[in-house]
Amino acid sequence: MEHVTLKVQGMSCDHCVRAVEGAVKELGAAGKVDLAAGQVNVQFDPAVVSLDKIKEAIEDQGYDVVQ
């Protein structure tokens, strides 16, 4: 398992948290949003899903991954 912290812009409420965490979960990874820090802590198995796919899923929800 790998752990990464992604800086994400545009998250501001509980809906944002659910959207981002849900998108990450659908890929078979685990994500925990820290709204105050504007970050998402992600735990994933690179054999199952790539970091690029995780970033893409977050951006598909309307947020900008800046790291």
Side-chain angles (χ1 to χ4, degrees), residues 6 8-27 29-35 39-42 54-55 57-65:
L6 301 173
V8 179
Q9 292 180 334
M11 301 183 301
S12 61
C13 64
D14 287 340
H15 168 76
C16 301
V17 172
R18 288 190 302 275
V20 170
E21 290 180 355
V24 171
K25 185 176 182 177
E26 282 185 20
L27 296 174
K32 180 68 177 156
V33 172
D34 181 342
L35 272 181
Q39 299 180 136
V40 181
N41 296 308
V42 182
I54 293 170
K55 290 178 180 179
I58 293 170
E59 290 176 343
D60 285 348
Q61 295 300 312
Y63 308 100
D64 295 319
V65 178

Side-chain angles (χ1 to χ4, degrees), residues 38-60:
Q39 299 180 136
V40 181
N41 296 308
V42 182
Q43 181 178 349
F44 67 102
D45 181 348
V48 174
V49 64
S50 69
L51 183 56
D52 286 339
K53 285 288 185 189
I54 293 170
K55 290 178 180 179
E56 184 179 307
I58 293 170
E59 290 176 343
D60 285 348

